[in-house]
Every structure is written in structure tokens, then in C-alpha cells.
Amino acid sequence: TQLLEQSPQFLSIQEGENLTVYCNSSSVFSSLQWYRQEPGEGPVLLVTVVTGGEVKKLKRLTFQFGDARKDSSLHITAAQPGDTGLYLCAGAQGGSEKLVFGKGTKLTVNP
Amino acid sequence: GAVVSQHPSRVICKSGTSVKIECRSLDFQATTMFWYRQFPKQSLMLMATSNEGSKATYEQGVEKDKFLINHASLTLSTLTVTSAHPEDSSFYICSAGGQLGPNSPLHFGNGTRLTVT
């Protein structure tokens, strides 16, 4: 059983389109993090959300943490080819530093 | 700049040999580091938690005698894949952080691509 369900698994869109990636769970997380990973490299942290209902923006990326801290979404506005990559959500429970990762969303933005 | 350094980035070894991977925290001390394994087109799976000065904690299904972890200092953890076999070929990634509290971000190394022939 996957603790964090991430969808969609694959997404191919045209430059300029908007998209949303979802990360859902039946469990509560003390924090949730979004990472972006390029092939052959480690994940790079994009954002950490810790408060239910929290919304954070990073340029064209908007991250939201659900009110119950069980789910999160990543919305990208006007996607660009440079946004192409694997997006991973990861959650921490209680006071633990251990992260549970979703399966990832492979995003391809075509010029 | 990188806050976690992982070495080597790529290694090819013959079946039956052992391979050591290093994970260093730069500019900060990490009492805890994590080791992950990632198969192609899949997500990261936590293998073990490396604890400075004590035994590592392994996740269910991970053989502790095969994947030896040593965390001898506050800035260095090593993962040794012993008697490697082709099925051990994978992308191994370490992470460290949390020095500012449970919700502070973890930083990841750039990974090690292990190929066992």
C-alpha cells in the first residue's frame, strides 16, 4: 500500500499550459515537501509546507497543503520546457525526519 | 551550492565485490542521515536511517548484512554494498538535514549510479 498517492504519474503538455499535480493520503503529515529531480541527480527541494491550508508560491509554482494535512497539490502556471522533470512529494509524520515519497510525476513540457 | 556531497557519482563493479559510497554533510553536522534506493522511473525507497555513533535502523526487507552503514562522524555516513550482484544495480541517494528541527528540510546528495556486471 502506497502511503502517498501521487497523480498523474506521467504528464505531457505544451508550453504555456497550466497543470496540477496531486499528492493524497489517508494519513496526516506534520510536513510535506515537494522536490524536483533531474535524471541522474538527487532531488532538489522546492518547498516545505507545515500548516493545514497553507499556500506557498514560488514564481509560477503554487503549492497548497490540505486543511487536514493529508494532501497537497502543486500547480504550475504557463509551463515552460525548463519545468520538465520528475516532481516528487514527500511527507514526514510526527517528529520524525523520515520521509515517505510518492511515486512521482514525470512532467514533459514540449516547446 | 551543494550542502550534501555524495561520492562516487558512478561506479561499475564486478559481481561479488563490495562498493563503498560516501555521504558528507557540508557546513553542518548531521546526527542522522538517510539512505535511499531508486530504480529507473520509480520513486525513492528508504533503505535505512544512519545514526551517528550508533547502529543504523533498517527498513523492512533491507538486509543489514548486505548494506553496511557506518556513521562514524557528524559529517560522514558510508554505505557499503557487500558481495554485490547485478540486482543491486540501482541509483543510491543519501540525505541529511533536519538540524533546525523536525520540519526543517532535508538535503539530498546527487546520488550514486551503481552498475554491477
Side-chain angles (χ1 to χ4, degrees):
Chain A
T1 302
Q2 185 75 18
L3 192 60
L4 271 173
E5 297 289 343
Q6 195 170 336
S7 61
Q9 190 174 354
F10 298 96
L11 189 55
S12 181
I13 61 173
Q14 293 300 121
E15 181 176 2
E17 293 183 0
N18 302 331
L19 66 112
T20 302
V21 177
Y22 299 94
C23 187
N24 297 306
S25 177
S26 58
S27 302
V28 175
F29 293 95
S30 57
S31 70
L32 200 140
Q33 302 178 7
W34 284 92
Y35 293 84
R36 180 179 157 191
Q37 185 181 23
E38 301 287 346
E41 297 182 10
V44 175
L45 179 68
L46 296 174
V47 77
T48 300
V49 286
V50 297
T51 305
E54 182 176 7
V55 177
K56 282 191 174 179
K57 291 192 175 185
L58 184 65
K59 296 183 180 179
R60 292 175 294 100
L61 278 61
T62 302
F63 305 86
Q64 185 164 7
F65 202 12
D67 291 341
R69 290 186 289 133
K70 294 182 179 180
D71 53 79
S72 181
S73 63
L74 157 61
H75 183 79
I76 301 179
T77 304
Q80 300 176 1
D83 296 327
T84 294
L86 179 67
Y87 290 82
L88 297 159
C89 65
Q93 293 183 300
S96 174
E97 296 174 290
K98 286 172 56 173
L99 288 180
V100 174
F101 279 83
K103 286 191 174 182
T105 295
K106 179 70 171 69
L107 172 65
T108 303
V109 182
N110 303 298
Chain B
V3 295
V4 174
S5 174
Q6 194 171 334
H7 179 80
S9 58
R10 290 178 177 270
V11 58
I12 301 173
C13 71
K14 292 186 177 181
S15 186
T17 62
S18 296
V19 174
K20 180 184 285 188
I21 303 170
E22 293 186 349
C23 181
R24 294 181 183 273
S25 59
L26 309 177
D27 301 326
F28 71 95
Q29 295 179 333
T31 55
T32 305
M33 293 186 179
F34 300 93
W35 287 96
Y36 294 83
R37 183 173 179 175
Q38 186 177 30
F39 289 105
K41 300 182 181 181
Q42 294 189 24
S43 189
L44 283 73
M45 296 297 295
L46 180 65
M47 297 175 66
T49 303
S50 175
N51 305 300
E52 188 269 335
S54 65
K55 291 183 179 180
T57 305
Y58 290 82
E59 296 299 303
Q60 190 174 10
V62 178
E63 298 177 60
K64 62 179 182 180
D65 294 330
K66 180 166 186 62
F67 298 99
L68 300 179
I69 291 173
N70 185 281
H71 196 152
S73 78
L74 287 169
T75 59
L76 174 64
S77 174
T78 61
L79 168 67
T80 301
V81 183
T82 63
S83 187
H85 291 286
E87 56 265 31
D88 297 324
S89 298
S90 189
F91 193 52
Y92 293 87
I93 309 175
C94 70
S95 71
Q99 68 269 28
L100 299 179
N103 293 327
S104 59
L106 291 176
H107 300 280
F108 285 80
N110 268 336
T112 296
R113 172 73 60 193
L114 171 63
T115 303
V116 185
T117 61

